[in-house]
Amino acid sequence: MTSRLSASPVIRDQAGTRTGPEWLILALVCACQFMVILDSSIVNVALPSIDRDLGFAPAGLAWVVNGYLLTFAGFMLLGGRAADLFGQRRILTGGLVLFSAASLVAGLATLPEVLVAARVAQGVGAALLAPATLAVINTSFTEGRRRARAFGAWSAAGGVGGMAGAVAGGALTTGLSWRWVFLINVPIGVALIAAAMRALPSTRTARRETLDIVGAVTGTAGLAALIYGIMHSTDHGWTSAPVLVPAVAGLLLLAVFTVVEARFATHPMMPLRLLRIRGVAVGNAMLLLFGGTGIAMWYFTSLFLQNVLGYGALQAGLGQTPAAVMFMVIARSAAALLPRTGVRPLILAGSACFLAGFGWLAQAQSDSGYLVGILGPTLLIATGIGLTFPTLMAATTADVPDRDAGAIGGLAQTAGQAGGSLGLAVLATAATQTAAGGSSPVALAAGYDRVFLIAAGLGLAIAATSLLLPRRRPTTPN
């Protein structure tokens, strides 16, 4: 029987190069994923304090959040391919250096423009880090059960990072200063750089390929422009110029990117041959849908707790903590079950949890109690997320050659981020239209309930899409 991760002192990559201990490699990628996802949410609670100190213009404060999210999503394809071409350790440590340096600048910023620029740089650093962590898992953990456990731990780290943001941001802002929301990343980043230098091999890739510059520019600019347009839909409406102009420009650039990759690029940034692998194509489609369910769960449940039930931001974060713990436990359990059950049963079980949990949550009203109205359904939804997310990531990257591990990691994470951005825009529009402009708890509850019903429908769509996955026999334990 395969031993646990801690039982093996070292592992070797696919070239036979000696690397660090398994536990250190797994701890490294989990900590990087935790930090990257944490930073997408930790700043939210600190925004009022930041505004008071730096004096943002009315429309400028949102870019403390959007600047990070935009470059994070837009540069991940590029970051993933860079990991393939220039080496996982080089790109991961480069991402850590950029992320940590930008965090230092953000924490010391005295002008709004400096803080926004630092957040943009943080997003680029995160876009280098995130796909590199997936590439490390793909090439370091190749045996089925160990690979599944690694994906389970990585998924749990990201989920807990997202949920810990509100609590950590509130505690740091209240106890110290909003600046420590950023400065805390500096010592953590230094420690992770040291761990990466020890754990990951320093071998250079043997490939003599150059970066596909035209593909990098059109793909990155296209994704950024599309997501930029989607971000504005909640404030300006889907048919307004601030939405349509960048969104259409983004789609045109992505069309050019596709043509370049298919016909002109000698060494494409995103090899389209990967999409001929059924698991890759179907898995990324499900990750796109899954992004909307995650937004419905974490973002809109937090709004329900604050705007309908009257919780403070820190209370809302604490109110979602049991669901975060449930997600972490179930994600690790799903990783153990995956080699035995295969992909499809876990996704179908997770989708059933989405349908039941969001259907239950859609019954919540302004007079609903926390235990029955919120806690019960969110625990059920968190179970679905725990079953689905690590399974999707493992399935999407399962049949990919090691030389494309970074590219497919970037594609998978881009699909999830794009799904989240699109899901937020669509669901926010649905909530606003249902509430009909009302700001009372009753009106807002009606809008959020509509969101939860749509999320239940996304769960059904994920289940239906999973039927297109290739059939694989479960792995029988030794």
Side-chain angles (χ1 to χ4, degrees), residues 129-149:
L129 270 175
T133 62
L134 273 181
V136 169
I137 291 177
N138 271 333
T139 56
S140 300
F141 301 91
T142 55
E143 189 274 326
R145 281 169 290 178
R146 301 168 87 84
R147 185 171 179 274
R149 282 197 291 267

Side-chain angles (χ1 to χ4, degrees), residues 321-422:
T321 299
V325 174
M326 177 66 80
F327 164 71
M328 181 174 64
V329 172
I330 297 300
R332 296 300 301 271
S333 300
L337 289 172
L338 179 57
R340 297 176 171 85
T341 65
V343 170
R344 193 176 298 169
L346 292 180
I347 293 177
L348 290 175
S351 298
C353 291
F354 291 150
L355 182 61
F358 280 119
W360 181 1
L361 192 57
Q363 309 307 311
Q365 302 297 325
S366 58
D367 58 351
S368 297
Y370 169 74
L371 291 178
V372 176
I374 303 298
L375 180 61
T378 56
L379 289 177
L380 189 55
I381 297 166
T383 299
I385 295 174
L387 290 171
T388 304
F389 184 53
T391 305
L392 282 178
M393 297 305 295
T396 302
T397 59
D399 298 324
V400 177
D402 289 335
R403 64 193 178 98
D404 296 315
I408 203 62
L411 179 61
Q413 298 220 44
T414 298
Q417 287 290 321
S421 298
L422 183 60

Side-chain angles (χ1 to χ4, degrees), residues 186-451:
V186 179
I188 296 173
V190 170
L192 291 179
I193 291 169
M197 298 301 289
R198 180 188 172 194
L200 302 181
S202 59
T203 53
R204 294 185 180 183
T205 176
R207 300 164 66 178
R208 297 185 179 276
E209 298 179 11
T210 57
L211 186 63
D212 171 21
I213 300 298
V214 176
V217 171
T218 54
T220 300
L223 282 170
L226 178 61
I227 293 171
Y228 178 85
I230 291 172
M231 282 179 172
H232 282 76
S233 63
T234 54
D235 296 325
H236 299 284
W238 286 96
T239 58
S240 64
V243 174
L244 285 179
V245 171
V248 170
L251 290 173
L252 290 174
L253 284 168
L254 290 175
V256 173
F257 168 75
T258 303
V259 173
V260 169
E261 301 301 280
R263 302 190 61 180
F264 299 106
T266 305
H267 304 293
M269 187 180 82
M270 181 62 241
L272 298 184
R273 57 181 164 76
L274 294 176
L275 296 178
R276 291 197 291 268
I277 303 172
R278 192 198 296 184
V280 171
V282 176
N284 277 283
M286 286 191 290
L287 283 169
L288 195 67
L289 294 168
F290 178 82
T293 64
I295 286 292
M297 167 61 180
W298 304 119
Y299 181 81
F300 284 97
T301 301
S302 176
L303 290 182
F304 192 100
L305 287 169
Q306 294 179 71
N307 296 338
V308 177
L309 299 187
Y311 285 32
L314 184 58
Q315 287 178 304
L318 293 172
Q320 290 183 307
T321 299
V325 174
M326 177 66 80
F327 164 71
M328 181 174 64
V329 172
I330 297 300
R332 296 300 301 271
S333 300
L337 289 172
L338 179 57
R340 297 176 171 85
T341 65
V343 170
R344 193 176 298 169
L346 292 180
I347 293 177
L348 290 175
S351 298
C353 291
F354 291 150
L355 182 61
F358 280 119
W360 181 1
L361 192 57
Q363 309 307 311
Q365 302 297 325
S366 58
D367 58 351
S368 297
Y370 169 74
L371 291 178
V372 176
I374 303 298
L375 180 61
T378 56
L379 289 177
L380 189 55
I381 297 166
T383 299
I385 295 174
L387 290 171
T388 304
F389 184 53
T391 305
L392 282 178
M393 297 305 295
T396 302
T397 59
D399 298 324
V400 177
D402 289 335
R403 64 193 178 98
D404 296 315
I408 203 62
L411 179 61
Q413 298 220 44
T414 298
Q417 287 290 321
S421 298
L422 183 60
L424 176 59
V426 172
L427 295 175
T429 300
T432 302
Q433 290 177 346
T434 305
S439 58
S440 69
V442 173
L444 292 173
Y448 299 144
D449 288 347
R450 175 78 173 275
V451 165

